[in-house]
C-alpha cells in the first residue's frame, strides 16, 4: 500500500488525502446521526431555514461532500494523465455536483421528517399534569404533560394563579401563549 502511495505524484497524494479525510469525516458524521448522537440540532435548524435564500445549500455535510468529490475526482484525473490545472477545474465541478446533490438529498429527507402537524390550539380546555413546577403569578414557566391529538406531549406552561403549581398537580389549559406555551389554571384551588 505504501509503495502504491509513494508512486503517486505529490498533487495526486494531496487530492487523495483530501478525498479520504473528508469521506471519513462525512461517514463518521452520518454514523453519529444514525445513532442519534448528532444531527438533530442541524436537522431542526435546516427545517426552519428560508429555502429560497440558499442557506440550505451550505452546511457541514455539503462541504464534506464537496471536499470528498473534489479530492477523489482530482486524484483520479491526475492518475489519468491530466495536468494540475485541468484536473483541479474538473475536480471543482465534480465537488460542486456532490455538494448540490447532497444538499438536495438532505433537504428532501428533512421534508419527510414528520412534524405530526400538532396544533397546540387543540389543547385548550384539556386537563394535564404538571411535569415541572409552574411558578404562580406568571413569574415563570414550567412544564405540563397532556394528551393532544392522541399524543402525550410535554410543553411549556405558565399560570396567572397565585399558588405555584407543583409536579403532579392537575391543570386545565385555558389559552395559548405564543405558538407552543400554554396558559393554565389549577383544576381545583387549594
Amino acid at each position: 500500500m505504501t509503495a502504491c502511495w509513494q508512486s503517486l505524484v505529490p498533487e495526486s497524494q494531496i487530492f487523495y488525502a483530501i478525498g479520504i479525510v473528508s469521506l471519513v469525516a462525512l461517514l463518521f458524521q452520518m454514523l453519529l446521526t444514525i445513532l442519534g448522537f448528532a444531527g438533530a440540532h442541524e436537522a431542526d435548524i435546516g427545517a426552519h431555514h428560508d429555502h429560497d435564500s440558499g442557506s440550505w445549500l451550505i452546511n457541514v455535510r455539503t462541504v464534506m461532500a464537496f471536499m470528498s468529490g473534489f479530492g477523489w475526482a482530482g486524484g483520479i484525473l491526475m492518475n489519468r494523465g491530466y495536468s494540475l490545472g485541468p484536473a483541479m477545474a474538473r475536480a471543482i465541478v465534480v465537488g460542486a455536483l456532490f455538494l448540490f446533490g447532497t444538499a438536495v438529498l438532505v433537504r428532501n429527507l428533512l421534508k419527510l421528517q414528520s412534524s405530526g402537524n400538532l396544533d397546540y390550539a387543540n389543547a385548550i380546555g384539556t386537563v394535564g399534569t404538571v411535569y415541572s413546577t409552574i411558578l404562580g403569578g406568571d413569574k415563570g414557566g414550567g412544564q405540563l404533560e397532556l394528551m393532544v391529538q392522541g399524543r402525550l406531549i410535554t410543553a411549556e406552561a405558565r399560570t396567572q394563579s397565585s399558588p405555584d403549581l407543583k409536579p403532579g398537580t392537575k391543570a386545565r389549559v385555558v389559552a395559548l401563549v405564543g405558538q407552543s406555551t400554554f396558559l393554565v389554571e389549577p383544576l381545583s384551588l387549594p
Side-chain angles (χ1 to χ4, degrees):
M1 177 95 181
T2 57
C4 180
W5 181 258
Q6 291 174 350
S7 70
L8 297 172
V9 295
E11 293 87 355
S12 286
Q13 289 177 346
I14 292 170
F15 276 123
Y16 280 130
I18 291 170
I20 291 168
V21 169
S22 59
L23 182 61
V24 168
L26 184 61
L27 291 175
F28 184 69
Q29 183 189 25
M30 292 172 119
L31 178 66
L32 288 178
T33 301
I34 289 169
L35 295 176
F37 293 113
H41 179 70
E42 184 177 329
D44 192 36
I45 290 170
H48 300 299
H49 276 297
D50 178 11
H51 293 298
D52 294 331
S53 71
S55 60
W56 60 275
L57 194 60
I58 304 296
N59 59 47
V60 174
R61 284 186 186 103
T62 59
V63 170
M64 286 294 118
F66 172 86
M67 297 300 289
S68 183
F70 171 81
W72 285 104
I76 291 169
L77 290 168
M78 289 295 293
N79 284 346
R80 299 249 170 144
Y82 285 82
S83 62
L84 183 59
M88 188 171 286
R90 286 176 173 84
I92 289 171
V93 170
V94 170
L97 290 172
F98 272 56
L99 180 142
F100 186 72
T102 302
V104 169
L105 179 66
V106 169
R107 184 178 185 195
N108 287 327
L109 287 174
L110 288 175
K111 285 181 183 178
L112 294 175
Q113 188 176 7
S114 173
S115 67
N117 298 325
L118 185 65
D119 185 1
Y120 280 80
N122 290 335
I124 296 174
T126 304
V127 174
T129 305
V130 175
Y131 185 75
S132 66
T133 302
I134 303 171
L135 299 178
D138 207 16
K139 289 186 266 176
Q143 293 182 323
L144 184 72
E145 187 175 65
L146 70 160
M147 292 291 287
V148 179
Q149 295 174 219
R151 292 193 310 182
L152 182 64
I153 66 164
T154 303
E156 296 298 314
R158 303 180 71 85
T159 187
Q160 294 175 343
S161 67
S162 60
D164 292 350
L165 302 180
K166 301 292 183 191
T169 305
K170 296 292 183 184
R172 180 180 317 276
V173 177
V174 293
L176 189 59
V177 180
Q179 293 181 354
S180 60
T181 301
F182 297 127
L183 181 62
V184 300
E185 63 184 17
L187 201 52
S188 58
L189 292 172

